[in-house]
């Protein structure tokens, strides 16, 4: 198996100002193509530390991927250090020079000496053009003893690094190495806790062929179930994994959102598109998060008409048609207000479906009856007769604002998904079939 | 300065299943007491990898802190490996044995051999009792050449690790080492590219006292400028850093958002609160992201009335009062529509300020005149006479949907911030004072 070592350069990681999410992403992406990250090293941006890390990594690994330290300012010294390390001088790359010139012009930035220096590269490295940023990536091939090693130096800005890896590094690795064949496929689930899920699917898990490996990968937006096959012919592995996930439907169909990168919102989008239906949202405690998650998906305008974030009571009344006396009587966080908000989204936007949230996100605003974390959510839809019907649900989350917003948005979207699937209200309340 | 190396043990980090937040937390906590993390290494949970990492770290650092691999299951081999590494045999610690027995009883778990083995510790290490979990921490003191080195092995579960570090590791470090004092302070900026910023503040940077170290930390929501002082009395360092950031105002005042964790939206929130003004938003291409960023902050309801995401033209007309003929004539992505949307937010919500976005987020929808990444944004405000005035700006971002949404939201909020500060429109267009 091709062994990879990651080196992340920058004080910000060592002093804990930034969490290293780049390495986790790289670990996943490389794993997908059958390369294995065997070590991750984070060092200061000093020449001595960078050089020591590079020399150590080249001793151990087939491939070294470095991120960070390629910016235009004085503290960015990765490029100079690599040039010294490999005994190369820095020369101007005309294509990069032109790219940086254009990019700075487009953004109305000055094309000063610092930017011009971004076009300097160690002579003899392979330049990996960075179409989404100014600092190019670089590839070095080194022979150490018997073996050829590859070293990549990439910018630390996550989307620049990711673009370079996806478009250039991975194709180069595939070209240079015979990668071990690996097939991963991941099913996204939502709505069941990990231990309950494990108990429910235990018979399925026990019947899996020995060469299929199951992993549970929980995160706040659901639990991912990954099946992996190593060194099995790709078509055979893919067929068997597909067959196994089909079998899994017998156990947990309403909890299955689809293959990664599915999410509750992408499942909703698929259902709306299939049926030619439209959606509008009415948010209070989620504050725009439901709308933002829908519109983060390309093509959302096909089915999404828009939303109202009614953070004030007046906005609930004026923009969504909630009855002022109901807010007065039951409070803004109440079943009737949630239902009226969802219905208001349907009528005001002329949508087929509406979904709403109203709750106490915290840290302030809690009461003994409605503590922080209490959220009412509702779904509304137009019947064939043209009437608007609604269903509502109350949940209690945590004391953490960020978590309450995320969970309320996810559960509201899931409630809509279950309505679109025609799963009964009883199921929604209990999570039981 | 006491040099620390962190070793995190576990496949889950290398395959990217888990993001290493423990190391960032340790970097911060150790920095606070003047110990410096100089390297972070993540390795597989195999004896060879752990031993190689431990030997390398003990060569370089005064203190090594290992996390992970102390659980009761077969793949947790840190303890056995350390015992072999240091030539110690495993012996039962009676206090730990009793603690694990009690803890398993309380949780209704079986006190089986796996759990009993948690009381085995390398003979001669110092046991650090874990009051919140079953795996104890351990401290080893090793003489290597002239110097004494300390190695801590801690559980990887974040709250167990944190409890042990706070209650035991840090007091032990204070006892064994004369710790260097360190002060960090970070200023958040937005609106100037890194190279332009570096050029603009060069005279200020050059005039900094030699004992203050400056670092640029860019991310998509701005560039952070961090000043650090080592071995300087805390009050002196803090005063000087404050004075220097005050001096920085002469160069880039309108770009400075405040000390970390400031953001464009928190700066907007502060200005609105100070002035007792309210805000509403009207979003198209950002799809709720502006609203979500405002409401992510606790207490947003003090100044935030709400927003409309008008993803369809009908919503722009019906909910925000944009003239249908202007959409027809100029297109939804146009200066006049942006201005009318912002004005609509002010009038429909009865707010003092409004901000809007309308653009082509991509990947579809671009035209030669309005390519993907084109965004119009506008700010509206009520004058003392009660009229609504607006200003608008067009920007071109990238081809990536996610980035376009994030940058449009940030720039729209920044435009509002500059309006609240009374910085001229000419400045906003050019970024120049």
């Amino acid at each position: 198996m091709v062994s990879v070592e990651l080196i992340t350069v920058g004080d910000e990681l060592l002093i804990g100002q930034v969490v290293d999410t780049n390495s986790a992403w790289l670990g996943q992406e490389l794993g997908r193509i059958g390369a294995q990250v065997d070590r991750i090293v984070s060092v200061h941006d000093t020449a001595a530390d960078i050089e020591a890390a590079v020399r150590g990594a080249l001793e151990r690994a087939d491939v070294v991927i470095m991120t960070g330290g390629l910016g235009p300012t004085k503290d960015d010294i990765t490029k100079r250090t690599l040039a010294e390390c490999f005994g190369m001088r820095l020369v101007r790359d005309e294509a990069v020079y032109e790219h940086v010139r254009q990019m700075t012009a487009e953004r109305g930035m000055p094309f000063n000496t610092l930017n011009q220096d971004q076009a300097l590269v160690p002579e003899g490295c392979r330049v990996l053009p960075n179409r989404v940023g100014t600092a190019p990536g670089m590839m070095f091939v080194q022979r150490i003893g018997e073996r050829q090693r590859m070293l990549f130096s990439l910018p630390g800005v996550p989307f620049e690094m990711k673009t370079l890896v996806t478009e250039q590094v991975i194709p180069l690795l595939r070209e240079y190495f015979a990668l071990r064949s690996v097939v991963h496929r991941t099913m996204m689930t939502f709505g069941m806790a990990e231990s309950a899920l494990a108990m429910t699917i235990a018979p399925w898990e026990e019947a899996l062929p020995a060469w299929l490996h199951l992993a549970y990968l929980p995160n706040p937006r659901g639990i991912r179930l990954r099946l992996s096959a190593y060194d099995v012919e790709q078509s055979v592995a893919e067929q068997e994994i597909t067959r196994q996930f089909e079998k899994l439907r017998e156990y947990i169909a309403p909890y299955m959102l689809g293959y990664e990168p599915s999410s509750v919102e992408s499942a909703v989008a698929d259902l709306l598109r299939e049926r030619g239906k439209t959606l509008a949202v009415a948010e209070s405690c989620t504050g725009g998060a439901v709308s933002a998650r829908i519109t983060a998906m390309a093509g959302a305008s096909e089915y999404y008409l828009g939303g109202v974030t009614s953070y004030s009571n007046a906005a609930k009344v004026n923009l969504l048609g909630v009855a002022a006396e109901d807010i007065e009587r039951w409070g803004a966080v109440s079943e009737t207000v949630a239902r009226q908000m969802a219905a208001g989204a349907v009528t005001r936007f002329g949508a087929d479906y509406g979904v709403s949230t109203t709750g106490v996100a915290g840290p302030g605003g809690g009461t003994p009856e409605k503590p922080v974390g209490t959220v009412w959510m509702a779904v509304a839809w137009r019947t064939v007769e043209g009437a608007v019907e609604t269903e509502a649900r109350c949940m209690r989350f945590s004391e953490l604002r960020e978590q309450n917003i995320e969970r309320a948005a996810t559960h509201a979207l899931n409630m809509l998904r279950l309505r679109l699937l025609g799963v009964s209200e009883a199921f929604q309340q209990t999570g039981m079939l």
Side-chain angles (χ1 to χ4, degrees), chain A residues 133-309:
Chain A
T134 52
M138 288 163 287
M139 179 181 105
F140 300 83
V141 178
Q142 291 283 309
R143 178 163 295 280
I144 304 223
E146 290 292 284
R147 296 168 70 186
Q148 194 136 297
R149 314 294 173 116
M150 284 169 85
L151 182 144
F152 294 91
S153 169
L154 306 174
V157 180
F159 80 88
E160 296 185 23
M161 183 279 289
K162 291 176 187 176
T163 305
L164 278 162
V165 167
T166 308
E167 297 180 358
Q168 299 188 64
V169 175
I170 285 180
L172 283 164
L173 291 177
R174 285 190 194 279
E175 194 182 314
Y176 277 70
F177 294 98
L179 296 167
R180 186 181 175 187
S181 97
V182 55
V183 177
H184 295 295
R185 215 153 176 215
T186 304
M187 176 59 61
M188 191 74 200
T189 77
F190 182 79
M192 225 177 188
E194 188 174 359
S195 58
L197 183 65
M199 303 278 279
T200 308
I201 70 175
W204 172 81
E205 186 174 351
E206 277 153 31
L208 285 173
W211 53 271
L212 272 183
H213 179 74
L214 174 69
Y216 289 77
L217 313 171
N219 79 24
R221 299 210 179 161
I223 294 168
R224 288 166 296 162
L225 297 173
R226 189 185 63 211
L227 284 175
S228 309
Y230 294 94
D231 296 325
V232 174
E233 206 203 312
Q234 182 159 348
S235 64
V236 174
E238 279 172 359
Q239 264 181 31
E240 183 60 23
I241 290 176
T242 306
R243 204 179 72 84
Q244 290 296 341
F245 279 131
E246 275 314 306
K247 265 182 68 185
L248 188 60
R249 294 203 175 278
E250 293 165 26
Y251 299 86
I252 54 160
Y255 299 99
M256 289 164 73
L257 302 177
Y259 289 109
E260 202 177 35
S262 289
S263 59
V264 175
E265 56 268 30
S266 75
V268 164
D270 291 344
L271 290 165
L272 290 168
R273 257 206 208 94
E274 261 168 36
R275 292 160 199 207
K277 298 295 185 186
T278 59
L279 172 67
V281 309
E283 303 183 64
S284 186
C285 64
T286 49
V290 173
S291 186
R293 275 167 65 174
I294 294 166
T295 58
M297 296 181 287
S301 54
E302 287 171 41
Y303 49 86
Y304 187 57
L305 303 180
V308 167
T309 297

Side-chain angles (χ1 to χ4, degrees), chain A residues 34-111:
Chain A
Q36 177 167 295
V37 174
D38 285 323
R39 190 184 268 239
I40 305 170
V41 179
S42 301
V43 292
H44 291 292
D45 27 25
T46 68
D49 288 334
I50 294 172
E51 189 168 341
V54 166
R55 295 211 185 279
L58 287 173
E59 285 299 319
R60 285 181 291 263
D62 302 305
V63 176
V64 180
I65 301 180
M66 304 177 66
T67 57
L70 293 184
T73 53
K74 268 187 282 190
D75 56 343
D76 291 308
I77 61 161
T78 300
K79 193 164 61 182
R80 261 180 291 141
T81 306
L82 287 174
E84 280 163 30
C85 219
F86 297 139
M88 295 168 171
R89 59 188 192 113
L90 290 172
V91 293
R92 186 203 278 184
D93 183 287
E94 293 303 327
V96 174
Y97 187 84
E98 188 47 32
H99 171 71
V100 176
R101 202 186 56 72
Q102 273 183 24
M103 202 149 200
T104 49
E106 268 170 27
R107 294 184 183 173
M109 288 156 48
F111 187 50

Side-chain angles (χ1 to χ4, degrees), chain A residues 253-393:
Chain A
Y255 299 99
M256 289 164 73
L257 302 177
Y259 289 109
E260 202 177 35
S262 289
S263 59
V264 175
E265 56 268 30
S266 75
V268 164
D270 291 344
L271 290 165
L272 290 168
R273 257 206 208 94
E274 261 168 36
R275 292 160 199 207
K277 298 295 185 186
T278 59
L279 172 67
V281 309
E283 303 183 64
S284 186
C285 64
T286 49
V290 173
S291 186
R293 275 167 65 174
I294 294 166
T295 58
M297 296 181 287
S301 54
E302 287 171 41
Y303 49 86
Y304 187 57
L305 303 180
V308 167
T309 297
S310 54
Y311 228 57
S312 54
N313 287 341
K316 290 182 181 70
V317 174
N318 298 332
L319 280 98
L320 291 168
V322 176
E325 54 278 18
D326 286 329
I327 299 180
E328 180 77 16
R329 182 163 176 200
W330 304 103
V333 179
S334 60
E335 178 174 351
T336 181
V337 169
R339 286 184 192 265
Q340 290 178 48
M341 285 173 67
V346 166
T347 55
R348 296 291 165 115
F349 285 87
D352 300 310
Y353 286 87
V355 61
S356 71
T357 62
T358 179
V360 189
T367 64
E369 303 79 49
K370 294 171 188 171
V372 168
T374 307
V375 179
W376 274 99
M377 44 197 103
V379 171
W381 62 94
R382 222 175 250 291
T383 64
V384 276
E385 296 81 22
V388 176
E389 291 193 359
T390 62
E391 61 186 10
R393 178 175 187 191

